[in-house]
Amino acid sequence: MKRVYLLFFASLLILSACQNKETAEDKEVISNVPDPLTAEISSRGVNSTSKEILLEAIVTQGTKSLDHADEVTFEIRKSGEDNRQLIEADNDGYGKYRIMHTFRDDGKYIVIAHVTAGEQHVMPEKELVIKGGQHSDVN
């Protein structure tokens, strides 16, 4: 009976010595975290309050233009007011998403581009001042 226990103990010792143990330092960590999503709003044209102005969101992920965002929507509201207008942007390629918008009144306007791609969402903001029939960027 001693031999059976001794044989069992010896085989257990041999099996545990042959086991390949990997520690966290030995493993290569593969990250599936996508590059960060970024967007920048620009506006073009000197327009009066009754004419259209081009609003554009330039969307990138890492260093590449993002042509396949799930959603790009512009939110426009007059500063100090709660009334908002949401306008879905057109994809013009090369990471550019555009709308044409007419500002009816003079004043300060907040423009926010809501950009969603995968599980990422960014909301860059730009302030525009419409006065005297022209617009100017504040930031």
Side-chain angles (χ1 to χ4, degrees), residues 73-92:
T73 304
F74 283 90
E75 174 184 337
I76 301 170
R77 70 176 170 85
K78 195 167 185 180
S79 186
E81 294 182 10
D82 288 332
N83 189 21
R84 302 161 198 269
Q85 190 174 11
L86 293 173
I87 305 167
E88 190 172 332
D90 294 324
N91 182 350
D92 283 355

Side-chain angles (χ1 to χ4, degrees), residues 8 41 50 108 116 122 126-127:
F8 177 71
I41 300 173
S50 61
K108 244 184 224 184
T116 304
V122 293
K126 185 176 195 82
E127 191 172 282

Side-chain angles (χ1 to χ4, degrees):
M1 188 72 163
K2 277 186 176 182
R3 282 187 176 177
V4 172
Y5 286 125
L6 189 57
L7 184 60
F8 177 71
F9 181 71
S11 56
L12 206 77
L13 191 60
I14 291 170
L15 287 174
S16 66
C18 292
Q19 188 176 14
N20 183 13
K21 293 185 179 180
E22 290 184 16
T23 60
E25 294 114 20
D26 296 335
K27 292 183 179 180
E28 182 180 335
V29 177
I30 298 173
S31 176
N32 289 332
V33 177
D35 289 332
L37 181 66
T38 58
E40 185 179 316
I41 300 173
S42 67
S43 60
R44 282 198 250 163
V46 177
N47 300 293
S48 70
T49 53
S50 61
K51 293 187 179 175
E52 288 185 316
I53 181 173
L54 173 69
L55 296 172
E56 179 177 69
I58 301 167
V59 182
T60 57
Q61 190 161 28
T63 58
K64 298 178 182 176
S65 297
L66 185 69
D67 295 331
H68 58 276
D70 298 329
E71 179 182 38
V72 179
T73 304
F74 283 90
E75 174 184 337
I76 301 170
R77 70 176 170 85
K78 195 167 185 180
S79 186
E81 294 182 10
D82 288 332
N83 189 21
R84 302 161 198 269
Q85 190 174 11
L86 293 173
I87 305 167
E88 190 172 332
D90 294 324
N91 182 350
D92 283 355
Y94 303 103
K96 295 179 181 180
Y97 297 82
R98 299 174 175 175
I99 66 166
M100 296 298 289
H101 183 72
T102 302
F103 293 91
R104 301 279 179 218
D105 301 314
D106 288 351
K108 244 184 224 184
Y109 288 85
I110 308 298
V111 178
I112 301 171
H114 295 270
V115 181
T116 304
E119 294 184 12
Q120 296 185 55
H121 183 79
V122 293
M123 297 169 42
E125 184 175 308
K126 185 176 195 82
E127 191 172 282
L128 296 177
V129 176
I130 307 291
K131 64 180 179 180
Q134 297 181 356
H135 89 278
S136 63
D137 296 342
V138 173
N139 57 352

